[in-house]
Structure formats: C-alpha cells, structure tokens
Amino acid sequence: MINRELLAPQSIAIIGGSNNIHKPGGAVVRNILQGGYEGVLRIVNPKEDEVQGIKVFHDARELPPTELAVLVIPAKFCPDTVELLAKEKNTRAFIIISAGFGEETKAGAEMEQRILNTCEQYGAALIGPNCIGLLNRNHHSVFTQPIPKLHPQGVDFVSGSGATAVFILESAVIKGLQFNSVWSIGNGKQIGIEDVLQYMDEHFNPATDSKVKLLYIENISNPDKLLYHAGSLIRKGCRIAAIKAGSSESGSRAASSHTGAIASSDSAVEALFRKAGIVRCHSREELTTVGCIFTLPPLTGKRFAIVTHAGGPGVMLTDALSKGGLEVPRLEGETAEELKTLLFPGSSVANPIDILATGTPEQLGLTIDYCERRFEDIDAIAVIYGTPGLTTLYKAYEVLHQKILECKKPIFPILPSLHTAGPEVAEFLAKGHVNFSDEVTLATALSQIMQTPPPAPPEVQLFGVDVPKIREIIGGIKDNGYIAPHLVHQLLECAGIPMVPELVSSSMDELIAFAQKVGYPVVAKVVGPVHKSDVGGVALNIRTPEHLALEYDRMMKIQDATGVMVQKMLKGTELFIGAKYEERFGHVVLCGLGGIFVEVLKDVQSGLAPLSYDEAYSMIHSLRGYKIIKGTRGQKGINEQKYAEIIVRLSTLLRFATEIKEMDINPLLADEQDVVAVDARILIEK
C-alpha cells in the first residue's frame, strides 16, 4: 500500500543516522537536509548526541510519534524496530535501506516476512528492504547521489535495483533529464513496480502529474497488474519505457541472487510490453535517451531534416535513421536553392543541411526557420552543433534555445562537445532542455519508439470462434500429452483456421482413395512420432498410387507409428505460428517465417493472448523478414490480412483453452490469396 505518510510525511525518523556522510546513515540525513525537507526530522543513534546539527535520540523508544521511518541499521534489528515504531509510535510508512534479507538467506526471508506482517497489521507502507530509498519533491530519503533536478513534469522513475537506479540517474543528469520522483523498491516485499504503477494510475491527475514513466524491472510478479495499469496510464496520455533485465537463463540467475527475482522468458516480456504499449529498452543509455525524447513534442511523421556543421555525424545520423525506418528526404527546388544563397559557399542543403564548421549562429537559426516554415515535407529537426575548440557556443546555443521554444516541429539537439564546451552545454541544459550527445543512440531510441504499438484493446476477438465446441473437445481429452491429429484438426476448425485437406488412416486403400479424390501430388507423414522429419517420416511430391503405397509400407515400419497422414501438396511461402503457456503470463503467441527463419535465424515476434488485429499486424511488421511477406524483387507477397486473422483466431482459441501448454502450426503455406495450415501439433496438460 502507498499512503500519504510515505509520500508527504510531516515527520521522518532516521534510525541509524550518523555524521559520517560516506556511510548510508549519514548520507541519507545529508540528502534530506539539503533537499529542503519542511517537516520534522529526527535521528536515532545510540552513540552520538548530535548528528549534522540535529539533536539525537539514543533509542527509538524515546521518539515521539513519527509518520515515516527510514531504517539504516543491521537487518537483524529491523523486525523489532518496525514493530516498536508501528505499535507505539504510530509510524505508518517505512523505508528499509538495509540489506541481508530474502535476497541472501532463508533466515533473511523470514525476517522480511515478519516485517511485512507487522506493516500489514498496522496498515503501514513498506519500501524495500535492500534499496536506496525514495526521492520526491517532498523528501529526499535516499543515501545516494546524484540528486537530479526535480520538477512536477519531470520523469517518474521506478527501479527494482538501487545501484542501477543510481547509474541510470547518472546517465540522465548529463542529458538534462529532469525527474519528479525516484522509487527504489529493492526486494519489493510489499510495494513492487506494479503497485507503484497502480497508485500512479488510480491517482493520475492530467493537469499536475508527470506523463513520463521509466522502469527498470528485474521481476514481474504480477503481469496482469502491470499490463492493466501501464496500458491505462498510456491511454491517459502517459508514455512509458522500461528495461526488463534477467530474461536470459544466466541473467535470471543473476537477478535471483540480486533481489530474489523470479525469471520470465524474454518472449513473454516482449509480448507483455507490446500489449501494454511500453517501449522496451536494453541499456541505461537507451532508457534515458527514450526518456528525453518523451519530454519533447511527439513526432507526427517520420521525415527528418538534419542541420549540422560537421558532415560525418550528419552521415551517421542519416544512416541510423534510415536503418530504423525513419526518413531523411532530399531537399531540392527553389526553396532549397534560396537557402543555399544565404549560407557560406560550399554549404550543402540536400539534407543533411551542412552549414560548415564556419557557419554562424545566425545561419543556424535561419536554417531551422526554413525547416520549420518552408520545407513542408519535414516533420522533425535534428541539430548537430558542437565545437572544434576554437570558439565559444553560448550565442549558438541561445539561438537553439529560442528556436526550440518557437517551433512547432520537435527539435532534437545533438551537442557532442561535452568536454570542450562543457559550460555552454550546462547553461543550455539549465534552461530546461535535454541533449542527445550521440546521434546514433538517438536514432536507435527513436526507431524503438516508432515501432512500439499503442496499448491493445482489452476486448477479445470472438468472431467465428466456436468457444463452446472448443471447451467440449478439450473436456473430452483424458490424457496429458500431444493430442491426436483429428483432434488438432477439430480445434483449428473451431477457431476458423483453414487447414490443407488431409486424411489420417492405417488403411492403405483409404489413403489412396483420398489422394485420388484431392488430386496428386500429395504429401505423406507418419503419425505417432513427434519429430517426423528426424525419423524419416515425411515424403513430399508423391505423384502416383504406387509411390504412395511404397511410402505407406515404409512409414508403418517406423517405431511408434500408428498410421499415416496424407495431405494435398501445396506451394507457397512457409510461415510459422507457435504458442507456449508461460506461468503468470498466460499464452505467448509467436509468429514468423517458417523453415530456417525460425530454426536458425530465430526471426520471430511475440504477443500475449488474446491478441487484437493491430497487435498481430505489429508482430508481422516487426519481423526482419517482413519484406518477404510483403513481396520483394519480383516475388508476390502473401495475403497479410489472412495471416493476421489466423494469429488472432489462434490467440482466441488459446484464451479459452488454458490446458494447451504448447502448440505450433509449422508450416502454414501462404500466397497472395490464401494462408493454409499444413501441419500442427498441440500439447495438453490438465
């Protein structure tokens, strides 16, 4: 629970506060004092009489009633201290900075649970243990630095790791990113990242609250809560970016040893973020760069003008934007030639617009004006302006400052000279701006934002999906394991997923009659073994009854064979759809091109069932091999609408059949007209 005593306490007690600012107990006192805390600050220290100018209580029992307690004492003393303060001092909020709890030992976990039980009994909020604290505009109850510049419209940052929060703040501060609050939840025994988002969502005031949220996550303990409240905040006008660390096997082991986090697969995380509309980041630099972009006016298009006085960075930015799906259109015609006459000889206006190293602040402003008012096919402006160390840049950055205030198109300042023009950049940032010192990092972050879809609607797409029949079929299955092909066919039929005509039989005559009915060539596949190809259980391009009879005899001799499936042989682009049930997340649906693209290149995208059509299209468009689906180099594309429809229908089937733990349709064969499932398998666990 998050309460007023935690967010805006009228009194704070530091249990373990000291004069040594190089230790947590002294540093947290210093930060609260320097932060201008307006309430009553009390210190408990058995060995000191005065701490940083404040008279000290030698024992927590001597304290008067106090609303918030920050504990910076050994873990073994924390449970008794929390109980004393909650019971006798009416303390209703606790921040436990101390480590040595559930992240280390079983005994530590028991102490942690005892603290939680006390807080729940008395209705107290609990941050931590094993955290750096809580920082907001009311109190700076953290022991670390830097303390960023705080502003009501700054970023709300929530981190599952204290040290990582510090490093992310370091990365943000040098970019000029301002903050509204910083939450370090540590082990998150009571208040996790999902709970902070829930509070921000349920108490959101669009007129006063920050609209940018940055997250560093090691454990998603409640995916449904994260999905609901993140999506709700984004629909209310917020923008959210997050790092989810610990998704690899080794990373999850490291996260577990760090905060006791529970692992979740990377595909499940990717699917959850896609459904919620969260921009996924993979590094501190990427997260803080995305956060800076979020503070600027949103992009309304993909077309960039690049204004620079250094050719190389302009070329690198052009490459990076183009690679990320953004555009740097060529500027030509009368307007471009007119601008060129106003710049020094040798300048280029083709885009990037290179005003040369000798270009003046006035020419910089003039060029930005042309991009804002005269070049209509431009949506945003990137300005690269540093120094070779020969001049000061105060005037140029003042011009840039004024243009950012005046222009409706977003301007992305790329000021790379952090060493040679440190004071000038600092003055520019002090006016409330951000700086993207590396152009390629900016382009990467922009493309990640542009590729993130909006939150998916909560409604389930039921059109043409026979849910009662699905439940009837699932209910009739008694044993766990891979189900028979005819049941797979029935379930896909209930979902409206077209399958190639097929027959499963142990009778050669029936199979030959079926092949003659649908027409040769046909495909034969052994029924029984799970991995048919590995045991030689697949035969393609069978064109005669005699060939089919030979393959039938051969396959029925394969170990565990119970029959043979014959299908009409079709041609087309091979596609793949799969799904796996992830604990706490539900079904993760995967899609991609079939064959080598799945097995070797791992070119798949994931979504969380049930899926909307927008989510399905987003998954398809995000594939590296999407150009093949769209059609390239004279080859016709596939029916993308049918592919998306099958993905959505399959996700609806899974939504109402949680007993399905794994399934894949591989391949589907697709052309410009149809997409048809050729082979599928379903694993049931009840």
Side-chain angles (χ1 to χ4, degrees):
M1 60 174 292
I2 296 172
N3 54 23
R4 195 269 308 162
E5 288 86 351
L6 178 66
L7 298 176
Q10 296 179 3
S11 54
I12 301 176
I14 311 298
I15 314 300
S18 74
N19 284 305
N20 189 345
I21 61 171
H22 300 294
K23 291 186 176 180
V28 70
V29 174
R30 175 202 60 199
N31 288 342
I32 291 175
L33 290 173
Q34 291 182 353
Y37 174 60
E38 296 180 355
V40 178
L41 181 61
R42 301 178 177 120
I43 314 293
V44 175
N45 186 316
K47 299 179 181 178
E48 303 275 1
D49 294 325
E50 185 177 286
V51 165
Q52 300 182 45
I54 299 175
K55 186 178 179 181
V56 166
F57 296 89
H58 292 146
D59 193 299
R61 294 178 180 84
E62 301 171 4
L63 285 169
T66 304
E67 293 190 342
L68 167 67
V70 181
L71 275 62
V72 201
I73 54 178
K76 62 183 179 180
F77 299 126
C78 289
D80 287 341
T81 303
V82 169
E83 186 172 1
L84 167 71
L85 294 172
K87 183 178 180 180
E88 299 183 15
K89 307 302 178 183
N90 205 32
T91 303
R92 293 296 176 261
F94 294 90
I95 298 172
I96 302 182
I97 288 171
S98 316
F101 290 92
E103 79 281 3
E104 289 191 5
T105 64
K106 183 178 179 180
E110 291 171 354
M111 289 192 295
E112 198 172 312
Q113 185 61 44
R114 185 184 157 197
I115 290 170
L116 175 63
N117 293 342
T118 300
C119 289
E120 297 293 321
Q121 179 183 351
Y122 290 97
L126 171 64
I127 293 286
N130 184 27
C131 68
I132 64 168
L134 172 64
L135 168 70
N136 63 26
R137 288 179 290 116
N138 296 314
H139 64 104
H140 298 181
S141 294
V142 294
F143 70 90
T144 55
Q145 289 186 323
I147 303 294
K149 187 175 181 180
L150 298 176
H151 188 276
Q153 293 302 310
V155 171
D156 288 317
F157 172 42
V158 192
S159 176
S161 164
T164 305
V166 173
F167 301 150
I168 288 172
L169 288 174
E170 292 269 9
S171 172
V173 165
I174 63 172
K175 293 180 177 68
L177 187 60
Q178 298 179 358
F179 287 78
N180 177 57
S181 66
V182 177
W183 300 68
S184 164
I185 63 159
N187 293 2
K189 190 62 180 178
Q190 183 200 69
I191 298 173
I193 289 175
E194 301 93 329
D195 302 293
V196 178
L197 284 179
Q198 178 181 1
Y199 182 88
M200 291 177 177
D201 179 26
E202 293 176 349
H203 295 81
F204 183 70
N205 183 335
T208 59
D209 289 357
S210 167
K211 294 183 176 65
V212 179
K213 320 293 179 187
L214 301 183
L215 314 174
Y216 173 81
I217 307 171
E218 288 183 354
N219 172 31
I220 302 176
S221 60
N222 192 330
D224 285 342
K225 182 185 281 191
L226 179 66
L227 171 63
Y228 179 85
H229 292 292
S232 175
L233 280 164
I234 293 170
R235 291 186 190 96
K236 291 174 180 177
C238 293
R239 309 178 81 183
I240 302 178
I243 296 172
K244 170 60 179 77
S247 294
S248 68
E249 182 179 348
S250 299
S252 63
R253 183 185 68 247
S256 179
S257 65
H258 182 201
T259 58
I262 303 170
S264 51
S265 77
D266 194 63
S267 59
V269 172
E270 193 75 31
L272 178 67
F273 283 13
R274 183 191 302 277
K275 185 176 280 292
I278 297 171
V279 177
R280 188 172 188 189
C281 301
H282 295 87
S283 71
R284 302 192 305 271
E285 281 298 303
E286 191 177 344
L287 183 69
T288 54
T289 301
V290 169
C292 289
I293 294 170
F294 281 169
T295 67
L296 301 178
L299 282 172
T300 57
K302 297 183 176 182
R303 302 167 300 180
F304 273 75
I306 300 173
V307 181
T308 179
H309 68 168
V315 174
M316 289 191 286
L317 179 55
T318 301
D319 286 343
L321 289 172
S322 301
K323 183 179 179 182
L326 299 162
E327 301 170 13
V328 183
R330 183 177 181 84
L331 300 176
E332 52 191 352
E334 291 183 8
T335 304
E337 291 302 318
E338 180 183 309
L339 173 60
K340 192 171 184 179
T341 64
L342 302 174
L343 303 176
F344 290 140
S347 299
S348 171
V349 296
N351 201 15
I353 303 171
D354 188 350
I355 66 174
L356 305 179
T358 52
T360 66
E362 291 77 14
Q363 290 173 330
L364 172 64
L366 184 68
T367 304
I368 293 173
D369 286 340
Y370 266 72
C371 294
E372 167 72 8
R373 303 189 185 108
R374 303 290 300 278
F375 294 128
E376 294 182 358
D377 55 347
I378 292 299
D379 303 305
I381 307 163
V383 177
I384 306 173
Y385 208 96
T387 174
L390 302 175
T391 59
T392 57
L393 296 177
Y394 289 111
K395 189 173 181 181
Y397 289 172
E398 176 60 27
V399 169
L400 184 56
H401 162 67
Q402 292 298 332
K403 296 305 175 186
I404 290 173
L405 297 180
E406 295 170 7
C407 292
K408 293 181 180 179
K409 295 176 183 177
I411 296 176
F412 296 85
I414 302 166
L415 316 180
S417 302
L418 301 181
H419 178 68
T420 54
E424 295 97 320
V425 172
E427 182 178 285
F428 177 78
L429 298 182
K431 295 173 181 176
H433 301 301
V434 294
N435 173 33
F436 307 95
S437 60
D438 182 81
E439 59 278 348
V440 175
T441 303
L442 168 62
T444 302
L446 281 166
S447 63
Q448 195 73 355
I449 292 170
M450 296 296 285
Q451 291 167 12
T452 301
E459 298 81 14
V460 180
Q461 306 287 341
L462 291 173
F463 309 113
V465 178
D466 191 343
V467 175
K469 184 65 174 176
I470 290 170
R471 291 310 312 158
E472 180 184 329
I473 295 169
I474 295 290
I477 298 172
K478 303 303 180 186
D479 299 323
N480 291 340
Y482 286 97
I483 63 176
H486 74 281
L487 293 174
V488 173
H489 198 285
Q490 289 177 22
L491 284 171
L492 295 184
E493 189 176 31
C494 289
I497 297 174
M499 290 198 72
V500 64
E502 67 180 33
L503 176 68
V504 176
S505 178
S506 57
S507 165
M508 183 194 302
D509 292 339
E510 285 185 4
L511 293 171
I512 290 174
F514 174 77
Q516 290 175 327
K517 178 181 176 182
V518 300
Y520 290 98
V522 296
V523 178
K525 302 176 183 179
V526 68
V527 175
V530 173
H531 300 290
K532 302 175 181 64
S533 299
D534 294 348
V535 294
V538 178
L540 306 176
N541 205 29
I542 298 172
R543 295 182 174 275
T544 65
E546 293 78 14
H547 186 184
L548 178 56
L550 287 171
E551 293 295 351
Y552 172 85
D553 287 336
R554 182 182 66 81
M555 290 183 186
M556 289 301 290
K557 295 174 184 177
I558 294 174
Q559 184 177 350
D560 299 326
T562 59
V564 173
M565 174 192 291
V566 171
Q567 296 175 323
K568 174 69 176 174
M569 185 168 176
L570 303 176
K571 292 183 179 180
T573 300
E574 288 193 0
L575 304 175
F576 160 82
I577 303 177
K580 184 178 181 182
Y581 187 83
E582 287 281 347
E583 197 67 36
R584 296 177 293 124
F585 285 79
H587 283 103
V588 178
V589 180
L590 306 170
C591 79
L593 290 160
I596 190 173
F597 289 94
V598 173
E599 297 170 7
V600 178
L601 302 181
K602 308 297 183 186
D603 184 17
V604 295
Q605 291 293 324
S606 57
L608 203 59
L611 294 166
S612 67
Y613 280 92
D614 285 343
E615 288 178 277
Y617 281 120
S618 173
M619 291 164 65
I620 294 168
H621 294 166
S622 298
L623 292 166
R624 295 195 300 276
Y626 174 64
K627 288 184 178 179
I628 296 173
I629 291 174
K630 190 177 181 181
T632 183
R633 302 187 71 175
Q635 180 181 344
K636 291 183 178 179
I638 72 158
N639 190 323
E640 192 176 315
Q641 181 181 347
K642 287 272 184 76
Y643 188 28
E645 182 179 332
I646 291 173
I647 293 171
V648 172
R649 288 176 176 273
L650 177 68
S651 77
T652 304
L653 162 66
L654 295 166
R655 171 67 179 79
F656 294 99
T658 55
E659 297 89 345
I660 295 176
K661 301 307 177 188
E662 289 183 27
M663 77 169 294
D664 61 68
I665 307 175
N666 188 19
L668 298 101
L669 288 177
D671 57 25
E672 64 270 23
Q673 294 180 333
D674 292 313
V675 180
V676 179
V678 174
D679 198 4
R681 59 178 184 167
I682 295 177
L683 176 67
I684 294 283
E685 287 183 12
K686 290 195 170 184

